[in-house]
Coordinates of all heavy atoms in Angstrom, one line a residue:
S1 N -102.1 79.6 -61.3 CA -101.2 79.1 -60.3 C -101.7 79.1 -58.9 O -101.2 78.5 -58.0 CB -99.8 79.7 -60.4 OG -99.9 81.0 -60.0
M2 N -102.7 80.0 -58.7 CA -103.4 80.0 -57.4 C -104.0 78.7 -57.0 O -104.0 78.3 -55.9 CB -104.4 81.2 -57.3 CG -103.8 82.6 -57.4 SD -102.7 82.8 -56.0 CE -103.8 83.7 -54.9
V3 N -104.6 78.1 -58.0 CA -105.2 76.7 -57.8 C -104.1 75.7 -57.4 O -104.3 74.9 -56.4 CB -106.0 76.3 -59.0 CG1 -106.5 74.8 -58.8 CG2 -107.2 77.2 -59.3
I4 N -103.0 75.8 -58.0 CA -101.9 74.9 -57.7 C -101.4 75.2 -56.3 O -101.2 74.2 -55.5 CB -100.8 75.0 -58.7 CG1 -101.3 74.6 -60.1 CG2 -99.6 74.1 -58.3 CD1 -100.3 74.9 -61.2
S5 N -101.3 76.4 -55.9 CA -100.9 76.8 -54.6 C -101.9 76.3 -53.5 O -101.6 75.9 -52.4 CB -100.7 78.3 -54.4 OG -99.6 78.7 -55.1
D6 N -103.2 76.4 -53.9 CA -104.2 75.8 -53.0 C -104.1 74.3 -52.8 O -104.3 73.8 -51.7 CB -105.6 76.2 -53.6 CG -106.0 77.6 -53.5 OD1 -105.3 78.4 -52.7 OD2 -106.9 78.1 -54.2
F7 N -103.7 73.6 -53.9 CA -103.5 72.2 -53.8 C -102.3 71.9 -52.8 O -102.3 71.0 -52.0 CB -103.2 71.5 -55.1 CG -104.4 71.1 -55.9 CD1 -104.7 71.7 -57.1 CD2 -105.3 70.1 -55.4 CE1 -105.8 71.3 -57.8 CE2 -106.4 69.8 -56.1 CZ -106.7 70.3 -57.3
A8 N -101.3 72.7 -53.0 CA -100.1 72.6 -52.1 C -100.5 72.8 -50.6 O -100.1 72.0 -49.8 CB -99.0 73.6 -52.4
L9 N -101.4 73.8 -50.4 CA -101.8 74.0 -49.0 C -102.7 72.8 -48.5 O -102.5 72.4 -47.4 CB -102.6 75.3 -48.9 CG -103.2 75.7 -47.6 CD1 -102.0 75.9 -46.6 CD2 -104.0 77.0 -47.7
C10 N -103.5 72.3 -49.4 CA -104.3 71.1 -49.0 C -103.4 69.9 -48.6 O -103.6 69.2 -47.6 CB -105.2 70.7 -50.1 SG -106.6 71.8 -50.4
F11 N -102.4 69.7 -49.5 CA -101.5 68.6 -49.2 C -100.7 68.8 -47.9 O -100.5 67.9 -47.1 CB -100.5 68.4 -50.3 CG -101.1 67.7 -51.5 CD1 -100.9 68.2 -52.8 CD2 -101.8 66.5 -51.4 CE1 -101.4 67.6 -53.9 CE2 -102.3 65.8 -52.5 CZ -102.1 66.4 -53.8
K12 N -100.4 70.1 -47.6 CA -99.7 70.4 -46.4 C -100.6 70.1 -45.2 O -100.1 69.5 -44.2 CB -99.3 71.9 -46.4 CG -98.7 72.4 -45.1 CD -98.4 73.9 -45.3 CE -98.3 74.6 -43.9 NZ -98.2 76.0 -44.0
R13 N -101.8 70.5 -45.3 CA -102.8 70.2 -44.2 C -103.0 68.7 -44.0 O -103.4 68.3 -42.9 CB -104.1 71.0 -44.4 CG -103.9 72.5 -44.2 CD -105.2 73.2 -44.4 NE -104.9 74.6 -44.2 CZ -105.7 75.6 -44.6 NH1 -106.8 75.3 -45.3 NH2 -105.5 76.9 -44.4
L14 N -102.9 68.0 -45.1 CA -103.1 66.5 -45.0 C -101.8 65.8 -44.6 O -101.8 64.6 -44.6 CB -103.6 66.0 -46.4 CG -105.0 66.4 -46.8 CD1 -105.2 66.0 -48.3 CD2 -106.0 65.7 -45.9
Q15 N -100.8 66.6 -44.2 CA -99.5 66.1 -43.8 C -98.9 65.2 -44.9 O -98.4 64.1 -44.6 CB -99.7 65.3 -42.5 CG -100.1 66.3 -41.4 CD -100.2 65.6 -40.0 OE1 -100.1 64.4 -39.9 NE2 -100.5 66.4 -39.0
R16 N -99.0 65.7 -46.1 CA -98.3 65.1 -47.2 C -97.3 66.1 -47.8 O -97.5 66.7 -48.9 CB -99.4 64.7 -48.3 CG -100.3 63.6 -47.8 CD -101.4 63.3 -48.7 NE -101.0 63.0 -50.1 CZ -101.9 62.8 -51.0 NH1 -103.2 62.9 -50.8 NH2 -101.5 62.6 -52.3
P17 N -96.2 66.2 -47.1 CA -95.2 67.3 -47.4 C -94.5 67.1 -48.8 O -94.2 68.1 -49.5 CB -94.2 67.2 -46.3 CG -94.3 65.9 -45.7 CD -95.8 65.5 -45.9
K18 N -94.3 65.8 -49.2 CA -93.7 65.6 -50.5 C -94.6 66.1 -51.6 O -94.2 66.8 -52.6 CB -93.4 64.1 -50.7 CG -92.7 63.8 -51.9 CD -92.4 62.3 -52.0 CE -91.6 61.9 -53.3 NZ -91.4 60.5 -53.3
D19 N -95.9 65.8 -51.5 CA -96.9 66.3 -52.5 C -97.0 67.8 -52.5 O -97.1 68.5 -53.5 CB -98.2 65.7 -52.3 CG -98.2 64.2 -52.6 OD1 -97.5 63.7 -53.5 OD2 -98.9 63.4 -51.9
A20 N -97.0 68.4 -51.2 CA -97.1 69.8 -51.1 C -95.9 70.5 -51.7 O -96.1 71.5 -52.4 CB -97.2 70.2 -49.6
R21 N -94.8 70.0 -51.4 CA -93.6 70.6 -52.0 C -93.6 70.6 -53.5 O -93.3 71.6 -54.2 CB -92.3 69.9 -51.5 CG -91.0 70.6 -52.0 CD -89.8 69.9 -51.4 NE -88.6 70.6 -51.8 CZ -87.5 70.5 -51.2 NH1 -87.3 69.6 -50.2 NH2 -86.5 71.2 -51.6
A22 N -94.0 69.5 -54.1 CA -94.1 69.4 -55.6 C -95.1 70.4 -56.1 O -94.8 71.1 -57.2 CB -94.5 68.0 -56.0
K23 N -96.2 70.6 -55.5 CA -97.2 71.6 -55.9 C -96.7 73.1 -55.8 O -96.9 73.9 -56.6 CB -98.5 71.4 -55.2 CG -99.3 70.2 -55.7 CD -99.6 70.3 -57.2 CE -100.2 69.0 -57.6 NZ -100.3 68.9 -59.1
Y24 N -95.9 73.3 -54.7 CA -95.4 74.7 -54.5 C -94.3 74.9 -55.6 O -94.3 76.0 -56.2 CB -94.7 74.9 -53.2 CG -95.7 75.2 -52.1 CD1 -95.8 74.4 -51.0 CD2 -96.4 76.4 -52.1 CE1 -96.7 74.7 -49.9 CE2 -97.3 76.7 -51.1 CZ -97.4 75.9 -50.0 OH -98.3 76.3 -49.0
V25 N -93.5 74.0 -56.0 CA -92.5 74.1 -57.0 C -93.2 74.3 -58.4 O -92.9 75.2 -59.1 CB -91.6 72.9 -57.1 CG1 -90.7 72.9 -58.3 CG2 -90.7 72.8 -55.8
E26 N -94.3 73.6 -58.6 CA -95.1 73.7 -59.8 C -95.7 75.1 -59.9 O -95.6 75.8 -61.0 CB -96.1 72.7 -59.9 CG -96.9 72.7 -61.2 CD -98.0 71.6 -61.2 OE1 -98.0 70.7 -60.3 OE2 -98.9 71.6 -62.1
A27 N -96.2 75.6 -58.8 CA -96.8 76.9 -58.8 C -95.8 78.0 -59.0 O -96.0 79.0 -59.8 CB -97.5 77.2 -57.4
L28 N -94.6 77.9 -58.4 CA -93.5 78.9 -58.6 C -93.1 78.9 -60.1 O -92.8 80.0 -60.6 CB -92.4 78.6 -57.7 CG -92.6 79.0 -56.2 CD1 -91.5 78.4 -55.3 CD2 -92.6 80.5 -56.1
E29 N -92.9 77.7 -60.7 CA -92.5 77.7 -62.1 C -93.5 78.3 -63.0 O -93.2 79.1 -63.9 CB -92.3 76.2 -62.5 CG -91.0 75.6 -61.8 CD -90.9 74.1 -62.1 OE1 -91.8 73.5 -62.6 OE2 -89.8 73.6 -61.7
L30 N -94.8 78.1 -62.7 CA -95.8 78.6 -63.5 C -95.9 80.2 -63.3 O -96.0 80.9 -64.3 CB -97.2 78.0 -63.2 CG -98.4 78.3 -64.1 CD1 -98.1 78.0 -65.5 CD2 -99.6 77.6 -63.6
E31 N -95.8 80.6 -62.1 CA -95.8 82.1 -61.8 C -94.6 82.7 -62.6 O -94.8 83.8 -63.1 CB -95.7 82.3 -60.3 CG -96.9 82.1 -59.5 CD -98.0 83.2 -59.8 OE1 -97.7 84.3 -60.3 OE2 -99.1 82.9 -59.3
A32 N -93.5 82.1 -62.5 CA -92.3 82.7 -63.1 C -92.5 82.8 -64.6 O -92.1 83.8 -65.3 CB -91.0 81.9 -62.8
K33 N -93.1 81.8 -65.2 CA -93.3 81.7 -66.6 C -94.4 82.7 -67.1 O -94.2 83.4 -68.1 CB -93.7 80.3 -67.0 CG -93.9 80.1 -68.5 CD -94.2 78.6 -68.8 CE -94.4 78.4 -70.3 NZ -94.7 77.0 -70.6
I34 N -95.5 82.8 -66.3 CA -96.6 83.7 -66.7 C -96.4 85.1 -66.4 O -96.5 86.0 -67.2 CB -97.9 83.2 -66.1 CG1 -98.3 81.8 -66.7 CG2 -99.0 84.2 -66.3 CD1 -99.4 81.1 -66.0
R35 N -96.0 85.4 -65.1 CA -95.9 86.8 -64.6 C -94.4 87.2 -64.5 O -94.2 88.4 -64.4 CB -96.6 86.9 -63.3 CG -98.1 86.7 -63.4 CD -98.8 87.0 -62.1 NE -100.2 87.0 -62.3 CZ -101.0 86.2 -61.7 NH1 -100.6 85.3 -60.9 NH2 -102.3 86.2 -62.0
G36 N -93.5 86.3 -64.3 CA -92.1 86.7 -64.1 C -91.8 86.6 -62.6 O -92.6 86.8 -61.8
P37 N -90.5 86.4 -62.3 CA -90.0 86.3 -61.0 C -90.0 87.6 -60.2 O -89.6 87.6 -59.0 CB -88.7 85.6 -61.1 CG -88.2 86.1 -62.4 CD -89.4 86.2 -63.3
E38 N -90.4 88.7 -60.8 CA -90.4 90.0 -60.2 C -91.8 90.5 -59.9 O -92.1 91.7 -59.8 CB -89.6 91.0 -61.0 CG -88.1 90.7 -61.0 CD -87.4 90.9 -59.7 OE1 -87.7 91.8 -59.0 OE2 -86.7 90.0 -59.3
H39 N -92.8 89.6 -59.9 CA -94.2 89.9 -59.7 C -94.6 89.7 -58.3 O -94.2 88.7 -57.7 CB -95.0 89.1 -60.7 CG -96.4 89.6 -60.8 ND1 -97.4 89.3 -59.9 CD2 -97.0 90.4 -61.7 CE1 -98.5 89.8 -60.3 NE2 -98.3 90.5 -61.4
P40 N -95.5 90.5 -57.7 CA -95.9 90.3 -56.3 C -96.6 89.0 -56.1 O -96.4 88.4 -55.0 CB -96.9 91.5 -56.1 CG -96.5 92.5 -57.1 CD -96.0 91.8 -58.3
E41 N -97.3 88.4 -57.1 CA -97.9 87.1 -56.9 C -96.8 86.0 -56.7 O -97.0 85.0 -56.0 CB -98.9 86.8 -58.0 CG -100.1 87.6 -58.0 CD -101.0 87.3 -56.8 OE1 -101.1 86.2 -56.3 OE2 -101.6 88.3 -56.3
Y42 N -95.8 86.2 -57.5 CA -94.6 85.2 -57.4 C -94.1 85.3 -55.9 O -93.8 84.3 -55.3 CB -93.6 85.5 -58.4 CG -92.4 84.6 -58.4 CD1 -92.5 83.4 -59.0 CD2 -91.2 84.9 -57.7 CE1 -91.4 82.5 -59.0 CE2 -90.1 84.1 -57.7 CZ -90.2 82.8 -58.4 OH -89.1 82.0 -58.3
A43 N -93.9 86.5 -55.4 CA -93.4 86.7 -54.1 C -94.3 86.1 -53.1 O -93.9 85.5 -52.1 CB -93.2 88.2 -53.8
T44 N -95.6 86.2 -53.3 CA -96.6 85.6 -52.3 C -96.4 84.1 -52.3 O -96.4 83.5 -51.2 CB -98.0 86.0 -52.7 OG1 -98.2 87.4 -52.6 CG2 -99.1 85.3 -51.9
T45 N -96.3 83.5 -53.5 CA -96.1 82.1 -53.5 C -94.8 81.7 -52.8 O -94.7 80.7 -52.1 CB -96.1 81.5 -55.0 OG1 -97.4 81.9 -55.5 CG2 -96.0 80.0 -55.0
L46 N -93.7 82.5 -53.1 CA -92.4 82.2 -52.4 C -92.6 82.3 -50.9 O -92.1 81.5 -50.1 CB -91.4 83.3 -52.8 CG -90.6 83.0 -54.0 CD1 -89.7 84.3 -54.3 CD2 -89.7 81.8 -53.9
S47 N -93.3 83.3 -50.4 CA -93.6 83.4 -49.0 C -94.3 82.2 -48.4 O -94.0 81.7 -47.3 CB -94.3 84.7 -48.7 OG -94.5 85.0 -47.3
N48 N -95.3 81.8 -49.1 CA -96.1 80.6 -48.7 C -95.2 79.4 -48.7 O -95.3 78.5 -47.8 CB -97.3 80.4 -49.6 CG -98.4 81.4 -49.4 OD1 -98.4 82.1 -48.4 ND2 -99.2 81.6 -50.4
Y49 N -94.3 79.2 -49.7 CA -93.4 78.1 -49.7 C -92.4 78.2 -48.5 O -92.1 77.2 -47.9 CB -92.6 78.2 -51.0 CG -91.8 77.0 -51.5 CD1 -92.3 75.7 -51.2 CD2 -90.7 77.2 -52.2 CE1 -91.6 74.6 -51.6 CE2 -89.9 76.1 -52.6 CZ -90.4 74.8 -52.3 OH -89.7 73.7 -52.8
A50 N -92.0 79.4 -48.2 CA -91.1 79.6 -47.0 C -91.9 79.1 -45.7 O -91.3 78.5 -44.9 CB -90.7 81.0 -46.9
N51 N -93.1 79.5 -45.6 CA -93.9 79.1 -44.4 C -94.1 77.6 -44.3 O -94.0 77.0 -43.3 CB -95.3 79.8 -44.5 CG -95.2 81.3 -44.3 OD1 -94.3 81.8 -43.8 ND2 -96.3 82.0 -44.8
F52 N -94.2 77.0 -45.5 CA -94.3 75.5 -45.6 C -93.0 74.9 -44.9 O -93.1 74.0 -44.1 CB -94.4 75.1 -47.0 CG -94.1 73.6 -47.3 CD1 -95.0 72.6 -46.9 CD2 -93.0 73.3 -48.0 CE1 -94.7 71.3 -47.2 CE2 -92.6 72.0 -48.3 CZ -93.5 71.0 -47.9
F53 N -91.8 75.4 -45.3 CA -90.6 74.9 -44.8 C -90.5 75.2 -43.3 O -90.0 74.4 -42.5 CB -89.4 75.4 -45.5 CG -89.2 74.8 -46.9 CD1 -89.3 75.5 -48.0 CD2 -88.8 73.5 -46.9 CE1 -89.1 74.9 -49.3 CE2 -88.6 72.8 -48.2 CZ -88.8 73.5 -49.3
A54 N -90.9 76.4 -42.9 CA -90.8 76.7 -41.5 C -91.7 75.8 -40.6 O -91.3 75.3 -39.6 CB -91.3 78.2 -41.3
D55 N -92.9 75.4 -41.2 CA -93.7 74.5 -40.5 C -93.1 73.1 -40.3 O -93.4 72.4 -39.3 CB -95.1 74.3 -41.2 CG -96.0 75.6 -41.1 OD1 -95.7 76.4 -40.3 OD2 -96.9 75.7 -41.9
L56 N -92.2 72.8 -41.2 CA -91.5 71.5 -41.2 C -90.2 71.6 -40.4 O -89.5 70.6 -40.3 CB -91.2 71.0 -42.6 CG -92.3 70.6 -43.5 CD1 -91.9 70.3 -44.9 CD2 -93.1 69.4 -42.9
K57 N -90.0 72.8 -39.8 CA -88.8 73.1 -39.0 C -87.5 73.0 -39.9 O -86.4 72.8 -39.4 CB -88.6 72.1 -37.8 CG -89.9 71.9 -37.0 CD -90.1 73.1 -36.0 CE -91.1 72.8 -35.0 NZ -92.4 73.5 -35.3
L58 N -87.7 73.3 -41.2 CA -86.5 73.4 -42.1 C -86.2 74.9 -42.3 O -86.5 75.5 -43.3 CB -86.9 72.7 -43.4 CG -87.2 71.2 -43.3 CD1 -87.7 70.6 -44.6 CD2 -85.9 70.4 -42.8
F59 N -85.7 75.5 -41.2 CA -85.6 76.9 -41.2 C -84.6 77.5 -42.2 O -84.8 78.6 -42.7 CB -85.2 77.3 -39.8 CG -86.3 76.9 -38.8 CD1 -86.0 76.0 -37.8 CD2 -87.6 77.5 -38.9 CE1 -87.0 75.6 -36.9 CE2 -88.6 77.1 -38.0 CZ -88.3 76.2 -37.0
D60 N -83.5 76.8 -42.5 CA -82.6 77.3 -43.5 C -83.2 77.5 -44.8 O -83.1 78.5 -45.5 CB -81.3 76.4 -43.6 CG -80.4 76.5 -42.4 OD1 -80.5 77.4 -41.6 OD2 -79.6 75.5 -42.2
E61 N -84.0 76.5 -45.2 CA -84.7 76.5 -46.5 C -85.8 77.6 -46.4 O -86.0 78.4 -47.4 CB -85.4 75.2 -46.8 CG -85.8 75.0 -48.2 CD -84.8 74.8 -49.2 OE1 -83.6 74.4 -48.8 OE2 -85.0 75.0 -50.4
A62 N -86.5 77.7 -45.3 CA -87.5 78.8 -45.2 C -86.9 80.2 -45.3 O -87.5 81.0 -46.0 CB -88.2 78.6 -43.8
I63 N -85.8 80.4 -44.7 CA -85.2 81.7 -44.8 C -84.8 82.1 -46.2 O -85.0 83.2 -46.6 CB -83.9 81.7 -43.8 CG1 -84.4 81.7 -42.4 CG2 -83.0 83.0 -44.1 CD1 -83.2 81.5 -41.4
V64 N -84.3 81.1 -47.0 CA -83.9 81.4 -48.3 C -85.1 81.9 -49.1 O -85.0 83.0 -49.8 CB -83.3 80.2 -49.0 CG1 -83.2 80.3 -50.5 CG2 -82.0 79.8 -48.4
H65 N -86.2 81.3 -49.0 CA -87.4 81.6 -49.8 C -88.1 82.9 -49.3 O -88.5 83.7 -50.0 CB -88.4 80.5 -49.9 CG -87.8 79.3 -50.6 ND1 -87.5 79.3 -51.9 CD2 -87.4 78.1 -50.1 CE1 -86.9 78.1 -52.2 NE2 -86.9 77.4 -51.2
K66 N -88.1 83.1 -47.9 CA -88.7 84.3 -47.3 C -87.9 85.5 -47.7 O -88.4 86.5 -48.1 CB -88.7 84.1 -45.8 CG -89.5 85.2 -45.1 CD -91.0 85.2 -45.6 CE -91.8 84.2 -44.8 NZ -93.3 84.5 -44.9
E67 N -86.5 85.4 -47.7 CA -85.7 86.5 -48.1 C -85.9 86.9 -49.6 O -85.9 88.1 -49.9 CB -84.2 86.2 -47.8 CG -83.9 86.3 -46.4 CD -82.5 85.9 -46.0 OE1 -81.8 85.3 -46.9 OE2 -82.0 86.2 -44.9
R68 N -86.1 85.9 -50.4 CA -86.4 86.2 -51.9 C -87.7 86.9 -52.0 O -87.8 87.9 -52.8 CB -86.4 84.9 -52.7 CG -85.0 84.3 -53.0 CD -85.1 83.0 -53.8 NE -85.7 83.2 -55.0 CZ -86.3 82.2 -55.7 NH1 -86.2 80.9 -55.3 NH2 -86.9 82.4 -56.9
A69 N -88.7 86.4 -51.3 CA -90.0 87.1 -51.3 C -89.9 88.5 -50.9 O -90.5 89.4 -51.5 CB -91.0 86.3 -50.5
I70 N -89.2 88.8 -49.8 CA -89.0 90.2 -49.3 C -88.3 91.0 -50.3 O -88.8 92.2 -50.6 CB -88.2 90.2 -48.0 CG1 -89.1 89.5 -46.9 CG2 -87.8 91.6 -47.6 CD1 -88.3 89.2 -45.6
R71 N -87.3 90.5 -50.9 CA -86.5 91.3 -52.0 C -87.4 91.6 -53.1 O -87.4 92.8 -53.6 CB -85.3 90.5 -52.5 CG -84.2 90.6 -51.5 CD -82.8 90.1 -52.1 NE -82.9 88.8 -52.7 CZ -82.7 87.6 -52.1 NH1 -82.3 87.6 -50.8 NH2 -82.8 86.5 -52.7
V72 N -88.2 90.7 -53.6 CA -89.1 90.9 -54.8 C -90.1 92.0 -54.4 O -90.3 93.0 -55.1 CB -89.8 89.7 -55.2 CG1 -90.9 90.0 -56.2 CG2 -88.8 88.7 -55.9
D73 N -90.8 91.8 -53.3 CA -91.8 92.8 -52.9 C -91.2 94.2 -52.6 O -91.8 95.2 -53.0 CB -92.6 92.3 -51.6 CG -93.7 91.4 -52.0 OD1 -94.2 91.4 -53.2 OD2 -94.2 90.6 -51.1
A74 N -90.1 94.2 -52.0 CA -89.4 95.5 -51.7 C -89.1 96.2 -53.0 O -89.3 97.5 -53.1 CB -88.2 95.3 -50.8
R75 N -88.6 95.5 -54.0 CA -88.2 96.1 -55.3 C -89.5 96.6 -56.0 O -89.5 97.6 -56.6 CB -87.4 95.1 -56.1 CG -86.0 95.1 -55.9 CD -85.2 94.4 -57.0 NE -85.6 93.1 -57.3 CZ -85.1 92.0 -56.7 NH1 -84.1 92.1 -55.8 NH2 -85.5 90.8 -57.0
V76 N -90.5 95.7 -56.1 CA -91.6 96.0 -56.9 C -92.6 96.9 -56.2 O -93.2 97.8 -56.9 CB -92.3 94.7 -57.3 CG1 -93.6 94.9 -58.1 CG2 -91.3 93.8 -58.1
L77 N -92.9 96.7 -55.0 CA -94.0 97.4 -54.2 C -93.4 98.5 -53.3 O -94.2 99.4 -52.9 CB -94.8 96.4 -53.4 CG -95.5 95.3 -54.2 CD1 -96.1 94.3 -53.3 CD2 -96.5 95.8 -55.2
G78 N -92.2 98.3 -52.9 CA -91.6 99.3 -52.0 C -91.4 98.7 -50.6 O -92.2 97.8 -50.2
P79 N -90.5 99.2 -49.8 CA -90.2 98.6 -48.5 C -91.3 98.9 -47.5 O -91.4 98.1 -46.5 CB -88.9 99.3 -48.1 CG -88.8 100.5 -48.9 CD -89.5 100.2 -50.2
Q80 N -92.2 99.9 -47.7 CA -93.2 100.2 -46.8 C -94.6 99.6 -47.1 O -95.6 99.8 -46.4 CB -93.4 101.7 -46.6 CG -92.1 102.4 -46.1 CD -91.6 101.8 -44.8 OE1 -92.4 101.6 -43.9 NE2 -90.3 101.6 -44.7
H81 N -94.6 98.9 -48.3 CA -95.9 98.2 -48.7 C -96.3 97.1 -47.7 O -95.4 96.4 -47.2 CB -95.7 97.7 -50.1 CG -97.0 97.3 -50.7 ND1 -97.6 96.0 -50.5 CD2 -97.9 97.9 -51.5 CE1 -98.7 95.9 -51.1 NE2 -98.9 97.1 -51.8
Q82 N -97.5 96.9 -47.5 CA -98.0 95.9 -46.6 C -97.5 94.5 -46.9 O -97.2 93.7 -46.0 CB -99.5 95.9 -46.5 CG -100.1 95.1 -45.3 CD -99.6 95.7 -44.0 OE1 -99.7 96.8 -43.7 NE2 -99.1 94.8 -43.1
N83 N -97.5 94.1 -48.2 CA -97.0 92.8 -48.5 C -95.5 92.6 -48.1 O -95.2 91.6 -47.6 CB -97.0 92.6 -50.1 CG -98.4 92.4 -50.6 OD1 -99.4 92.6 -49.9 ND2 -98.5 91.9 -51.8
T84 N -94.7 93.6 -48.3 CA -93.3 93.6 -47.9 C -93.2 93.4 -46.4 O -92.4 92.6 -45.9 CB -92.5 94.8 -48.3 OG1 -92.7 95.0 -49.8 CG2 -91.0 94.7 -48.1
I85 N -94.0 94.2 -45.7 CA -94.0 94.1 -44.2 C -94.5 92.8 -43.7 O -93.9 92.2 -42.9 CB -94.8 95.3 -43.6 CG1 -94.2 96.6 -43.9 CG2 -95.1 95.1 -42.1 CD1 -95.1 97.8 -43.7
D86 N -95.5 92.3 -44.4 CA -96.1 90.9 -44.0 C -95.1 89.8 -44.2 O -95.0 88.9 -43.4 CB -97.4 90.6 -44.7 CG -98.5 91.5 -44.3 OD1 -98.5 92.1 -43.2 OD2 -99.5 91.5 -45.0
D87 N -94.3 90.0 -45.3 CA -93.3 88.9 -45.6 C -92.2 88.8 -44.5 O -91.6 87.8 -44.4 CB -92.6 89.3 -46.9 CG -93.4 89.0 -48.2 OD1 -94.4 88.2 -48.1 OD2 -93.1 89.5 -49.2
Q88 N -92.0 89.9 -43.8 CA -91.0 89.9 -42.8 C -91.4 89.2 -41.5 O -90.6 89.1 -40.5 CB -90.5 91.4 -42.5 CG -89.9 92.0 -43.8 CD -89.6 93.4 -43.6 OE1 -89.2 93.9 -42.5 NE2 -89.7 94.2 -44.7
H89 N -92.6 88.8 -41.4 CA -93.1 88.1 -40.2 C -93.5 86.7 -40.4 O -93.7 86.2 -41.4 CB -94.4 88.9 -39.6 CG -94.0 90.3 -39.3 ND1 -94.2 91.3 -40.1 CD2 -93.4 90.8 -38.2 CE1 -93.8 92.4 -39.6 NE2 -93.3 92.1 -38.4

């Protein structure tokens, strides 16, 4: 799913948000299926998806995904883990 996330980032940089969003959704679905929605890699993809929405100025959507990423990382890695801290910025 990292490759799919990389495609999403490429589409984002090419200013193709519809394609980028589709790839982020695909990556999240694959991460959930393979590793489960409580895995740190899933949280990383969620955080990247949130950043995508923030870049589009869709802040309500960004907040939803960022908060989910923070909750997953806090539960799995702990509130003081660097991933959890990074998710909060």
